[in-house]
């Protein structure tokens, strides 16, 4: 069918209120902060910005509140070329993340969903035409489950399901993902939630590897590779067409019907890793929309994610097509994933 947009992101839009202090306050204690900054955020908005900056015609479906914070939530989406005509206005506050950062880089975060809580099944259904017409639909876990599941079922193009955070979606919706994108911790949490037998097998395998020394300090990297490949195998065994397991500085594991690979990440000097996962997902989605294979898209996405950590902030750190992405001398390697 004709596609009305290359990438449609259905997800959260937040404002991040970042307060820096010399140290984190104790319970009941009042401290004087050293700075306060309002920054655009939310996993949905971050991924939409990342996709648009990598050249995809991108539409955002979500909501902001009718408060003053809405003005701070949207400018980078608009400046990046994202179509925000499907962003509604809900009575009440815009989604807000209150972040306190100490001088030792430790932080506390409190997220108030605000208008994001209105992006439910009914709200998504109002945009069924644009969702069903997308080449790639991108979802995360920061809107109501009913909204996630409705968007997943409306999608006729490729569904990129990034369950971050892990929320209680049905196994049926997980099986619609192509790919399912999770980090290693989220992968285990999802298995515990919808496939306890698989989670038990995984735990038993990891316990056995530990007892035989497979995860000792002199083989920790190989042990982690094996453990993460096992997570991918169990996720594929759920009936999911493809899985991408993100691993931070270690890159990503990619598995679909054509094979499974370990994709290394470039080595860079990290300044701020916040939002790197969203940069990866947005870039992956843009590459898939352009016709790249999943492996090719992941190779692009790890470079975009690495680029993003070299600059402070989330959305402002995402590269455009004219920016030089870091490269790596390491090669993609085929891996075996067996449940």
């Amino acid at each position: 069918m004709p596609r009305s947009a290359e990438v449609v992101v259905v997800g959260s839009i937040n404002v991040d209120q970042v307060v820096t202090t010399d140290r984190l306050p104790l319970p009941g204690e009042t401290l004087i902060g050293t700075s306060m900054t309002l920054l655009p955020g939310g996993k949905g908005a971050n991924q939409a910005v990342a996709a648009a900056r990598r050249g995809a015609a991108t539409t955002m479906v979500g909501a902001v509140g009718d408060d003053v914070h809405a003005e701070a939530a949207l400018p980078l989406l608009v400046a990046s070329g994202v179509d925000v005509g499907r962003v509604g206005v809900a009575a009440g506050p815009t989604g807000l993340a209150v972040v306190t950062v100490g001088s030792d880089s430790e932080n506390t975060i409190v997220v108030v969903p605000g208008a994001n809580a209105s992006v439910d099944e009914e709200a998504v259904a109002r945009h069924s035409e644009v969702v069903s017409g997308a080449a790639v639909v991108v979802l995360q876990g920061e809107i109501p489950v009913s909204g996630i599941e409705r968007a997943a079922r409306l999608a006729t193009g490729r569904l990129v399901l990034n369950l971050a955070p892990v929320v209680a979606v049905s196994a049926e919706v997980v099986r619609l993902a192509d790919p399912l994108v999770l980090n290693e911790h989220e992968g285990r949490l999802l298995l515990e939630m919808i496939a306890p037998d698989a989670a038990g097998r995984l735990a038993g395998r990891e316990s056995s590897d530990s007892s035989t020394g497979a995860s000792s300090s002199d083989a920790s990297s190989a042990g982690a590779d094996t453990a993460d490949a096992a997570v991918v195998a169990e996720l594929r065994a759920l009936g999911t067409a493809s899985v991408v397991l993100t691993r931070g500085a270690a890159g990503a594991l990619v598995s679909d019907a054509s094979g499974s690979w370990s994709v290394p990440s470039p080595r860079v000097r990290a300044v701020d890793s916040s939002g790197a996962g969203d940069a990866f997902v947005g870039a992956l989605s843009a590459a898939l929309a352009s016709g790249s294979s999943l492996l090719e898209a992941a190779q692009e996405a790890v470079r975009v994610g690495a680029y993003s950590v070299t600059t402070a902030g989330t959305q402002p750190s995402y590269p455009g097509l004219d920016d030089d992405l870091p490269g790596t001398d390491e090669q993609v390697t085929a891996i075996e994933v067996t449940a």
Side-chain angles (χ1 to χ4, degrees):
M1 64 182 294
R3 298 299 179 187
S4 57
E6 292 179 342
V7 175
V8 171
V9 180
V10 183
S12 57
I13 303 171
N14 287 344
V15 170
D16 296 343
Q17 178 179 287
V18 182
V19 177
T20 60
T21 62
D22 290 334
R23 59 176 176 81
L24 299 183
L26 300 172
E29 182 182 19
T30 299
L31 293 179
I32 302 298
T34 55
S35 70
M36 192 280 285
T37 308
L38 287 177
L39 298 170
K43 295 190 72 63
N46 290 350
Q47 293 173 9
V49 167
R53 289 191 175 180
R54 297 309 296 169
T58 305
T59 295
M60 181 78 213
V61 176
V64 294
D66 57 3
D67 60 347
V68 295
H69 283 158
E71 297 179 5
L74 298 178
L76 276 179
L77 282 164
V78 174
S80 300
V82 177
D83 179 353
V84 296
R86 305 295 179 134
V87 174
V89 178
T94 299
L96 179 68
V98 181
V99 185
T100 303
V101 183
S103 59
D104 59 357
S105 297
E106 290 294 326
N107 63 75
T108 61
I109 303 175
V110 177
V111 176
V112 182
N116 296 312
S118 71
V119 190
D120 56 12
E121 179 179 12
E122 181 179 349
V124 172
R126 290 197 292 269
H127 305 292
S128 59
E129 183 178 355
V130 71
V131 176
S132 62
V136 177
V137 174
V138 187
L139 302 170
Q140 323 79 35
E142 290 188 334
I143 61 172
V145 168
S146 69
I148 296 169
E149 296 198 337
R150 184 58 179 266
R153 294 186 175 108
L154 283 170
T156 62
R158 193 156 191 167
L159 176 63
V160 177
L161 178 59
N162 174 218
L163 274 185
V166 177
V167 291
V169 298
S170 68
E172 173 202 351
V173 165
V174 170
R175 285 192 289 270
L176 294 175
D178 185 17
L180 174 65
V181 183
L182 300 160
N183 66 29
E184 58 267 48
H185 309 297
E186 292 158 351
R188 289 168 171 79
L189 284 173
L190 180 62
L191 288 171
E192 291 173 4
M193 182 179 300
I194 68 172
D197 289 346
R201 287 195 300 271
L202 190 65
R205 184 182 305 184
E206 291 175 345
S207 176
S208 175
D209 288 345
S210 177
S211 66
T212 58
S215 297
S216 61
S217 58
D218 61 346
S220 58
S221 178
D225 291 348
T226 300
D228 289 344
V231 173
V232 171
E234 295 292 356
L235 292 171
R236 285 293 310 280
L238 297 177
T240 305
S242 61
V243 171
V244 176
L245 194 78
T246 60
R247 308 172 73 209
L253 300 185
V254 177
S255 181
D256 64 10
S258 62
S260 301
W261 303 271
S262 176
V263 180
S265 174
R267 298 290 182 248
V268 296
R269 181 181 178 274
V271 173
D272 180 1
S273 63
S274 59
D278 295 332
F280 179 100
V281 172
L284 183 86
S285 303
L288 290 173
S290 73
S292 296
S293 70
L294 183 60
L295 176 58
E296 291 167 338
Q299 289 177 278
E300 170 92 353
V302 294
R303 297 176 68 203
V304 170
Y307 181 101
S308 75
V309 307
T310 62
T311 306
T314 54
Q315 294 177 22
S317 73
Y318 298 164
L321 292 175
D322 294 333
D323 292 310
D324 293 329
L325 300 180
T328 176
D329 293 331
E330 296 182 66
Q331 300 298 310
V332 171
T333 56
I335 60 173
E336 182 180 355
V337 295
T338 54

